[in-house]
Amino acid sequence: MLAKLQLLAWAFGLLAVAHPAIVPPTVATLGFLAGVVCAVVGWFVAHLALTLAIAAGVVLGQMLPGPLGSAARWFGRAWDTSIDAILPVES
């Protein structure tokens, strides 16, 4: 893997020596693409973490007695119903 990255670096270096005018747009484009990839990965991880945290709270809350447990059970049923409304399962 490191050899491939070194080969890519050499290719970009030789391209920069041969055509110095295209270096700034190329670096800007690569930087933009790296930023987009980081933003997408960050968005996915943040929403996944939020969803898993809410699910863990619901599961743990269902173990509690009294009104807090019934509220967690109601929230879990409401969440399940909202997902079924958005993504109906065909049988």
Side-chain angles (χ1 to χ4, degrees), residues 25-71:
T26 304
V27 170
T29 302
L30 291 175
F32 176 76
L33 291 176
V36 168
V37 167
C38 288
V40 168
V41 168
W43 181 86
F44 177 76
V45 169
H47 284 78
L48 180 64
L50 176 65
T51 302
L52 292 176
I54 291 172
V58 168
V59 169
L60 289 175
Q62 289 179 356
M63 303 298 176
L64 298 173
L68 190 58
S70 62

